[in-house]
Amino acid sequence: MNPNGVLLEHTLKEILAVLQPESNDWVARFQVIEELRRVVDSLESMRGATVEPFGSFVSNLFTRSGDLDISIELANGSFISSSGKKHKQKLLRALMEAMRQRGGWNKYQCIPNARVPILKVQSNIQNISCDISVDNLQAQMKSKMLLWITEIDTRFRDMVLLVKEWAKAHNINNSKTGTFNSYSLSLLVVFHFQTCVPAIFPPLKDIYPGNIADDLQGLRANAERQISETCAANIARFRSQRGRAVNHSSLSDLFISFLSKFSNINSRASELGICPFTGQWEYISSNTRWLPQTHAIFVTPPQVFLYLLIEDPFGQPENSARAVNASQLTKISEAFQSTYRRLVSRNQNQNDFLAPLVRQQTSQLIPRNQRYNPHSVYQPTRPQWLTADFSHPPQYARHGSGRHQQTRPQVAYLTTRVPNARAYQVQNQQQQLWRPRSRR
């Protein structure tokens, strides 16, 4: 590795050390879940409902400043619940009123007409922002799918954290302003790992050949078990393949090639879609299932349809990047290009590398003028509950203790669902979290 590469690798690891959630970040989020559970339990209209996190928290792809996504799963016996949109809107309004009366929350914003109705609030606990929805099991399963594929290669988690921070630094990680949401950024990293040489990830159809959006029906335990066991078997098969070429690229090499790969994303977007399910760029015009889903924007002149399509591999044929608008594509492409040029320039120092990679508040937390130690080993933070043991779903188990580079709460891994927060008992000294018994 050349001197620039060595310094960039060190800088990326310094950034990761700052982004990593610490013990209190994990504990605070479980406290928020528990507080919300108490509010839900107080509502007659939500009797028997469970409070279940999803998103980056469940995928272990969140940073210290990350939001918390939570689904209120309504009681429906052993079957998967699916409420109508109007009913969800009514429940979220009732929940908001109950939270106001109870206190401990602020910055309420109900978005009832969104594709998935959401209640946005901020907890007084560490000012953690929360997006609350109802009966969002599909999103929970997508989160677990991302978690499971991190077991293929730990560089995936590091890349996602770095890419999300980089995108925030360039103001292109906000679906409200027509740029990427965090889920589509994660899928870009998945696609990069599928298309680098040699490939790190297989096409996701080789991990789960079905469509989660269609397969979540009937008995919840059976549907989740079938998905988790299929993924477990296919991931194990992929990892054990003999003769499979192994990619040994450093994190810095992967990051630079990521920027290079998508630097012309604006010019390719009108013809090609990004398909993590097949692990390939695919022509939009030849893919009939995409055409009604593209959310195209008509641009003149010339007369072309311009949009960005990143297919959701777990909810085909949905476009996970449907919020990205044409006017922002140039800005997105320029962010890729300018950062790439900056990182491959010669005679760079750490400050030169940091400027295009992180926000100012993140940069201020990174130590300066420290001599790089080539013998230091970066160990990513990963609580033990995120170990992908699919062997006995949906049993609950108590975790074993272990020593880690950074202290954090450890919880037992749940293969088929994220548990309700009711029985989590945080022990401040040992930083242990216990798995609850299922309510269903």
Side-chain angles (χ1 to χ4, degrees):
M1 190 181 291
N2 61 47
N4 258 19
V6 171
L7 180 57
L8 177 58
E9 186 78 10
H10 174 63
T11 302
L12 293 178
K13 291 176 180 178
E14 291 286 348
I15 295 171
L16 285 167
V18 169
L19 298 177
Q20 295 288 348
E22 296 180 348
S23 174
N24 60 322
D25 300 309
W26 287 94
V27 172
R29 281 160 178 77
F30 282 111
Q31 290 174 339
V32 171
I33 294 169
E34 175 67 11
E35 284 299 312
L36 179 59
R37 183 203 58 76
R38 292 192 181 101
V39 180
V40 169
D41 281 354
S42 70
L43 291 172
E44 181 63 29
S45 60
M46 292 186 176
R47 179 179 293 276
T50 57
V51 177
E52 307 188 21
F54 64 95
S56 60
F57 180 63
V58 169
S59 302
N60 195 26
L61 298 175
F62 79 104
T63 62
R64 297 181 64 182
S65 60
D67 297 345
L68 184 59
D69 297 301
I70 302 174
S71 175
I72 309 298
E73 293 294 316
L74 303 179
N76 190 32
S78 300
F79 291 88
I80 293 173
S81 178
S82 180
S83 303
K85 191 169 185 177
K86 288 186 177 180
H87 186 50
K88 292 179 180 180
Q89 294 169 345
K90 181 179 178 180
L91 291 174
L92 289 176
R93 291 190 182 100
L95 178 64
M96 180 172 64
E97 182 60 30
M99 295 171 78
R100 287 185 189 276
Q101 293 179 4
R102 187 179 184 90
W105 310 84
N106 59 81
K107 296 185 178 179
Y108 300 90
Q109 182 185 10
C110 192
I111 311 178
N113 295 321
R115 191 162 169 265
V116 176
I118 292 175
L119 171 61
K120 289 181 172 288
V121 296
Q122 181 175 281
S123 170
N124 290 348
I125 301 173
Q126 285 193 3
N127 295 323
I128 296 173
S129 297
C130 303
D131 287 356
I132 305 171
S133 53
V134 176
D135 282 346
N136 207 348
L137 181 59
Q138 186 180 140
Q140 292 182 54
M141 291 307 300
K142 291 178 183 181
S143 306
K144 294 172 191 177
M145 293 290 288
L146 289 177
L147 166 65
W148 297 338
I149 66 175
T150 62
E151 297 302 316
I152 297 176
D153 195 294
T154 58
R155 289 173 294 181
F156 173 66
R157 178 177 184 267
D158 295 341
M159 276 289 294
V160 171
L161 297 189
L162 291 169
V163 166
K164 288 201 292 188
E165 175 64 24
W166 163 79
K168 287 182 174 68
H170 291 266
N171 297 313
I172 57 171
N173 183 201
N174 188 347
S175 59
K176 293 180 181 178
T177 61
T179 58
F180 293 117
N181 57 39
S182 293
Y183 181 57
S184 59
L185 286 172
S186 298
L187 292 180
L188 279 184
V189 179
V190 169
F191 188 75
H192 179 49
F193 275 39
Q194 293 170 328
T195 53
C196 58
V197 180
I200 301 172
F201 284 172
L204 293 188
K205 65 182 178 64
D206 293 348
I207 293 178
Y208 190 73
N211 190 347
I212 286 180
D214 297 331
D215 295 341
L216 284 174
Q217 299 181 17
L219 291 172
R220 175 170 177 173
N222 290 349
E224 291 183 328
R225 182 182 299 109
Q226 187 273 329
I227 292 171
S228 65
E229 289 179 348
T230 299
C231 293
N234 289 330
I235 288 173
R237 185 178 299 112
F238 175 76
R239 295 180 67 181
S240 63
Q241 285 178 358
R242 294 184 178 180
R244 177 171 63 90
V246 179
N247 187 309
H248 295 290
S249 297
S250 65
L251 197 57
S252 56
D253 287 339
L254 285 172
F255 194 85
I256 288 175
S257 58
F258 172 84
L259 297 171
S260 176
K261 181 173 295 179
F262 298 112
S263 61
N264 62 345
I265 197 170
N266 59 333
S267 61
R268 305 183 81 173
S270 61
E271 294 184 355
L272 296 170
I274 295 169
C275 186
F277 187 70
T278 63
Q280 298 177 2
W281 295 90
E282 293 194 7
Y283 282 97
I284 297 171
S285 59
S286 63
N287 195 322
T288 56
R289 75 178 189 275
W290 282 354
L291 294 178
Q293 303 289 334
T294 52
H295 302 267
I297 299 173
F298 195 69
V299 182
T300 58
Q303 293 186 353
V304 296
F305 285 102
L306 186 60
Y307 49 81
L308 177 62
L309 197 154
I310 306 175
E311 186 183 50
D312 184 345
F314 312 126
Q316 310 153 49
E318 292 295 328
N319 179 10
S320 70
R322 59 186 172 273
V324 176
N325 62 50
S327 63
Q328 295 286 10
L329 268 177
T330 300
K331 176 182 178 180
I332 290 170
S333 186
E334 288 175 349
F336 280 102
Q337 293 171 11
S338 62
T339 308
Y340 173 78
R341 289 194 297 267
R342 187 77 167 265
L343 296 187
V344 298
S345 298
R346 299 190 177 207
N347 302 321
Q348 301 284 298
N349 58 41
Q350 189 182 45
N351 288 335
D352 294 328
F353 282 144
L354 285 174
L357 294 178
V358 299
R359 294 167 291 175
Q360 183 177 2
Q361 58 264 41
T362 305
S363 177
Q364 292 172 348
L365 299 174
I366 297 173
R368 297 298 198 277
N369 301 321
Q370 287 194 353
R371 190 171 184 178
Y372 173 62
N373 179 6
H375 301 294
S376 64
V377 178
Y378 164 72
Q379 296 291 340
T381 301
R382 182 169 63 87
Q384 187 165 337
W385 78 300
L386 297 174
T387 300
D389 175 11
F390 307 90
S391 54
H392 301 291
Q395 296 181 11
Y396 302 112
R398 193 173 150 187
H399 79 283
S401 60
R403 300 183 68 84
H404 301 267
Q405 194 168 11
Q406 293 186 11
T407 59
R408 61 199 177 280
Q410 299 173 348
V411 294
Y413 175 68
L414 181 61
T415 59
T416 61
R417 73 194 318 179
V418 176
N420 185 282
R422 176 189 290 277
Y424 280 118
Q425 299 177 8
V426 180
Q427 301 178 4
N428 292 329
Q429 297 301 319
Q430 291 80 17
Q431 294 298 334
Q432 296 178 343
L433 289 168
W434 295 79
R435 182 186 307 282
R437 295 180 178 178
S438 175
R439 282 221 233 160
R440 299 183 185 176

